[in-house]
Amino acid sequence: MSPSRTCSWLIVLSVLLVCTTANGDRLKVGYYDKTCPDVQQIVQSVMAFRVGRDQSVAPAVLRLFFHDCFVDGCDGSVLLDETPFFESEKDATPNANSLHGFDVIDEIKSYVEHACPATVSCADILALASRDAVALLGGPSWKVQLGRKDSRVANRTGAEYGLPAPNSTLAELINLFKQYDLDARDMAALSGAHTIGTARCHHYRDRVYGYNGEGGADIDPSFAELRRQTCQSAYDAPAPFDEQTPMRFDNAYYRDLVGRRGLLTSDQALYGYGGPLDHLVKMYSTNGEAFAKDFAKAIVKMGKIPPPHGMQGEIRLSCSKINR
Ligand code: HEM
Ligand SMILES: *[C@@H]1O[C@H](CO)[C@@H](O)[C@H](O)[C@H]1NC(C)=O
Ligand SMILES: *[C@@H]1O[C@H](CO)[C@@H](O)[C@H](O)[C@H]1NC(C)=O
């Protein structure tokens, strides 16, 4: 190649580079390669230990990440305790008494602070821990983009209105996720996270009792009966989202939906009404690899939801408190 052609190529390349950076793609997989090379290893080993001792840690952490990203972006705001200056997100309706795993994030943070003080954000730790949570239960893995900053404030209002409800309709779900640049396919794949973990009776009561006490038309009668028994066993008894493999990150969630055995109204909303996602749900129910691939792609996208423009961030020293 002649020097002048090389030169013009260089110009094209640098223009491209400038454009991609200006585009706000500020996260990088290798963000801590120099400043905290062991961070991924530290997160992974704490997660492996804690999930090995108690598998329910994995769904808890994954849900924390989702609830973090949907409120002012992935900025660790969900981890903050209440202060006299702002209300925490922890007590908002979708979160109250149902978020867990804060202690695991705190434990990881303490090891990470020891290895590389004041370097790695809590938001990034949550993103890494979620990847490990899914992989530890047999799900897909992916490269985690890093470089998030932690917020200096929580947003109770954002948590009240920015998260989906267990009785959301399909149209509501599609519209809500769209606000975060996640399309219907991303939404359908991300919902597959409900292949692990549990929900409490007050979240599925309406679905299994229905208006006549026998469950709605879109529910398998034996499943409705089974879950009514769970509800009777204890006030607010938890039930697994996926009764077959409750702690395996597989595509069984979609087989449940096809069998009209989705636990929440919002789960079943994805399938069975002749709606636009029926075909996709059916495909995921038979093709676990396609689901795994789409889930990984969609959660990377979810992890890029940015904080509001101009929001000031920091590297929190303790994940439950802003720095002084
Ligand atoms: C599509 C709309 C969604 C709705 C309406 C919804 C709603 C819920 C509800 C009501 C619970 C049960 C809480 C309880 O009773 O304690 C739950 C649990 C859970 N959600 Fe979702 N969710 C949605 C999407 C997602 C997404 C996108 C993810 C992650 C990518 C996710 C991850 C989880 C996990 C892992 C659990 C189990 C938590 C545990 O066992 O500790 N959910 N969700
Ligand atoms: C909190 O969330 C609400 C609702 O999403 C949003 O309108 C508001 O701008 C957010 N506040 C801050 C401080 O980010
Ligand atoms: C879901 O439940 C809430 C609270 O009970 C109610 O205000 C809302 O209208 C319901 N939404 C749908 C779509 O049924």
Side-chain angles (χ1 to χ4, degrees), residues 135-200:
L136 283 163
L137 295 190
S141 192
W142 55 89
K143 290 200 164 82
V144 180
Q145 310 249 335
L146 299 165
R148 297 170 187 80
K149 292 285 189 291
D150 297 323
S151 71
R152 291 199 33 90
V153 69
N155 188 344
R156 166 74 64 86
T157 319
E160 267 332 319
Y161 298 104
L163 289 162
N167 65 345
S168 295
T169 63
L170 181 57
E172 287 171 343
L173 293 174
I174 291 176
N175 281 333
L176 179 69
F177 278 65
K178 206 191 226 161
Q179 289 174 29
Y180 304 99
D181 264 333
L182 298 164
D183 61 27
R185 191 182 181 103
D186 296 324
M187 190 276 288
L190 285 167
S191 297
H194 287 178
T195 190
I196 55 171
T198 58
R200 289 158 307 142

Side-chain angles (χ1 to χ4, degrees), residues 24 35 50 76 88 95 122 127 132 169 175 273 276 307 311:
T35 54
R50 292 293 301 266
S88 80
N95 292 339
C122 297
D132 297 334
T169 63
N175 281 333
Y273 297 92
M311 191 84 145

